């Protein structure tokens, strides 16, 4: 089974407006001329997807009750196709696509590392990580029984997309990065599994036993 979920519907695309001159002078840590900041050019950041659905949308504004909120927030989205073993219920994420709206990536490699690390952490909580108690006693208080992601668990294909709109409150319009790709992982994996087995799960993590029972239930 290879469903694809939480991808943008067919016909959707996004464009980020940036200035090549402004980007180059900002990364060189020098003042940008006014002409550089006011001459944006467009470049596409989205490929076209053939199927899938958006499971959640959010909008954050500094207005009203949020006027005094701290100037740090993160925005991101995730898409995953999965493979499920019908005999065991084991879920494997075949591909990971993350999009991070960071305003401006002062250090793009660091941003990509933050996004991949956060997404990997999210995959752990979506598929494996769970505290198990025997009465009042924690029964899996070690990294053997409490299964965290390993390098071998990473998807075979990883696409990290950075959206730079220069609309943040940080230097050069930068915003926070990292946690934005962690938050949607659980919903993305759950949506993909639901499309594969025809039933929505009601809890995470989606361990092999839970997925097998989901497939076996009437």
């Amino acid at each position: 089974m290879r469903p694809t979920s939480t991808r943008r519907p067919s016909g959707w695309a996004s464009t980020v407006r940036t200035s090549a001159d402004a980007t180059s002078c900002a990364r060189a840590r020098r003042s940008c001329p006014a002409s550089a900041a006011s001459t944006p050019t467009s470049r596409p950041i989205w490929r076209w997807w053939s199927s899938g659905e958006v499971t959640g949308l959010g909008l954050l504004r500094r207005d009203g009750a949020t006027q005094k909120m701290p100037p740090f927030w993160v925005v991101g989205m995730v898409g995953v196709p999965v493979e499920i073993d019908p005999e065991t219920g084991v879920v494997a994420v075949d591909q990971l696509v993350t999009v991070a709206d960071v305003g401006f990536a002062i250090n793009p490699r660091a941003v990509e590392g933050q996004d991949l690390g956060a997404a990997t952490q999210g995959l752990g909580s979506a598929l494996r990580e769970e505290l198990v108690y025997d009465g009042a006693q924690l029964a899996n208080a070690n990294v053997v029984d409490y299964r965290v992601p390993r390098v071998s668990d990473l998807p075979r294909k990883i696409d990290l997309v950075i959206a730079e709109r220069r609309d943040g409150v940080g230097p050069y319009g930068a915003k926070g990065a990292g946690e934005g790709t962690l938050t949607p992982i659980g919903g993305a994996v759950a949506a993909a599994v639901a499309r594969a087995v025809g039933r929505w799960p009601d809890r995470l993590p989606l361990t092999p036993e839970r997925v097998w029972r989901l497939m076996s239930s009437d």
Side-chain angles (χ1 to χ4, degrees), residues 5-218:
S5 187
T6 323
R7 291 180 171 180
R8 288 220 174 188
S10 178
W12 282 33
S14 290
T15 300
V16 191
R17 300 182 64 81
T18 60
S19 167
D21 292 337
T23 300
S24 61
C25 65
R27 286 182 177 152
R29 290 179 171 78
R30 57 186 173 84
S31 299
C32 298
S35 59
S38 60
T39 311
T41 57
S42 297
R43 62 181 178 84
I45 63 164
W46 268 108
R47 290 169 297 178
W48 294 85
W49 304 110
S50 60
S51 64
E53 69 274 349
V54 175
T55 59
L57 295 173
L59 180 64
L60 183 63
R61 292 177 178 161
R62 291 176 63 87
D63 185 36
T66 63
Q67 184 66 39
K68 295 182 179 180
M69 65 180 289
F72 178 87
W73 69 93
V74 290
V75 181
M77 70 174 291
V78 170
V80 291
V82 302
E83 294 181 350
I84 301 176
D85 188 325
E87 300 295 329
T88 64
V90 172
V91 178
V93 177
D94 188 57
Q95 181 181 3
L96 172 67
V97 181
T98 71
V99 181
D101 178 4
V102 300
F104 181 76
I106 297 175
N107 187 333
R109 289 291 181 89
V111 171
E112 291 178 349
Q114 283 287 100
D115 283 350
L116 180 56
T120 302
Q121 184 179 354
L123 288 173
S125 61
L127 295 173
R128 295 181 176 86
E129 297 183 44
E130 183 178 28
L131 296 175
V132 178
Y133 285 88
D134 181 7
Q137 179 65 43
L138 183 62
N140 61 337
N142 57 74
V143 294
V144 175
D145 297 320
Y146 185 88
R147 178 74 158 77
V148 297
R150 303 168 181 165
V151 173
S152 58
D153 297 322
L154 289 175
R156 287 176 288 181
K157 185 175 182 181
I158 299 173
D159 295 306
L160 307 173
V161 182
I162 299 175
E164 297 178 285
R165 299 190 298 163
R166 302 179 66 89
D167 59 343
V169 297
Y172 314 115
K175 292 186 282 191
E179 289 84 352
T181 57
L182 187 159
T183 306
I185 284 280
V189 173
V193 170
R195 293 190 66 193
V197 305
R199 294 181 178 85
W200 276 86
D202 61 359
R203 70 192 63 191
L204 296 176
L206 291 169
T207 60
E209 180 181 359
R210 284 192 178 134
V211 175
W212 183 86
R213 291 185 181 277
L214 196 65
M215 291 188 295
S216 303
S217 61
D218 295 327

